Each structure stands twice: as C-alpha cells, then as structure tokens.
Amino acid sequence: MEKKIYTPQPLEKVLRDKADKGYGICLSQTCPLREHCIHYIMRTYTPDSYLYTTCTNLNHPLMQTDKCPVYLSDKPVRMPLGLSDIYYDMPARIANPLKQHLIQYFNRKRYYEYHFGRRPITPAHEQYIRQAAISYGWRQPIEFNDYIEDFLW
C-alpha cells in the first residue's frame, strides 16, 4: 500500500484562522528568529477590530534570543499519522508490552488519537516511539500508517 503524504493548508489561511481565535502573537522587533516565526508573522493577520490580543512576554530572559521558547517555524514538518500499522509484523511478545508502555507514556486518550490517526505524531513523539520499539527488542524499521506535512503548534 502506497503511503499518502497530505500537504498542509497554505500558511496564510492557517494564520487567518488562528488569528480569528485569538492565538498569541509576538511584537519583538529585535528577535533574530522573527522572520520565520509564526507568532511574529501572525501579528499582521490579527484583525484591526480587536482591542486586546494575547502576546508573548518580551521581558522573559530567553525571549528575543536564538533560544526563544515560543518559536514556531513557518516551515511545515513531516509527521506520521496513525500508528496501528507498526504492530502488523511484530510478534505479540513485543507488540503487547510496547502498546501498554505507549499507553502509559502518552495516556490512553492521546495514545488512541495517535493510533487511529486523529492527531499527527510530533517529531519528538515519533522518536520516542521508535526508541521504545527498539528497547522492547524490535530491530526492523517502524512504518506508520501515513504521513502528513503540517505546522507544529
């Protein structure tokens, strides 16, 4: 079965949708990351009719540096979507404990959102799943159900 790669919505549409919901913006004029940060770009999409908006605290010591804790790249990231296929070739002696471990780690609700592909798996969680499978003795490559390109929120 060929894996489909879903492409994200255009950044402009995503930013308009988020701005309408009051998503946080950044007003820094000195941040070295601002040209590619979604929070900074979003300031131009915030409706003029809003009297108040949520924004980042520029007094935080890491703000306006290259280690900004709220930096969100404007480049989409390839993320797995659905993990039910990873168990297909695994023997039960590996699959069952791995599944229980992942349920404990993510919690049941989040695990099943990942399992059925209702939520994309972040790169950090993807790496965790791969490492957990290796720790339970699985030596083959992990293949997820599908992949999606989207922005990290």
Side-chain angles (χ1 to χ4, degrees):
M1 181 168 99
E2 186 177 327
K3 305 285 182 192
K4 295 179 280 200
I5 296 181
Y6 300 92
T7 54
Q9 294 179 343
L11 181 59
E12 184 176 321
K13 181 177 181 344
V14 172
L15 291 176
R16 286 190 194 289
D17 292 345
K18 295 282 184 183
D20 285 342
K21 294 176 181 157
Y23 198 77
I25 62 171
C26 180
L27 300 173
S28 173
Q29 296 299 315
T30 60
C31 180
L33 303 173
R34 73 181 181 273
E35 296 303 322
H36 295 287
C37 181
I38 287 179
H39 290 289
Y40 182 78
I41 297 168
M42 188 174 298
R43 80 194 192 305
T44 60
Y45 292 95
T46 302
D48 294 338
S49 61
Y50 285 16
L51 291 175
Y52 297 99
T53 186
T54 304
C55 67
T56 58
N57 178 7
L58 299 180
N59 293 326
H60 187 280
L62 293 177
M63 295 301 284
Q64 304 184 75
T65 67
D66 58 356
K67 295 184 188 321
C68 178
V70 295
Y71 171 74
L72 290 176
S73 176
D74 63 347
K75 306 285 185 255
V77 177
R78 183 175 185 253
M79 295 181 280
L81 191 63
L83 58 83
S84 59
D85 287 358
I86 70 171
Y87 304 113
Y88 184 71
D89 291 330
M90 280 185 194
R93 66 181 168 75
I94 294 175
N96 292 341
L98 174 61
K99 180 179 177 181
Q100 291 308 311
H101 174 83
L102 294 176
I103 288 172
Q104 286 178 348
Y105 181 77
F106 294 123
N107 80 39
R108 186 170 295 279
K109 180 178 187 254
R110 176 66 49 92
Y111 171 81
Y112 281 107
E113 287 175 344
Y114 286 160
H115 182 83
F116 294 116
R118 293 186 190 117
R119 174 189 293 256
I121 301 168
T122 64
H125 286 168
E126 175 186 5
Q127 188 62 30
Y128 184 86
I129 292 167
R130 290 182 190 282
Q131 290 300 319
I134 290 170
S135 72
Y136 279 93
W138 187 246
R139 301 291 177 240
Q140 315 235 347
I142 297 285
E143 287 296 323
F144 294 92
N145 300 12
D146 261 329
Y147 289 88
I148 185 171
E149 285 189 4
D150 205 356
F151 302 101
L152 287 177
W153 294 101

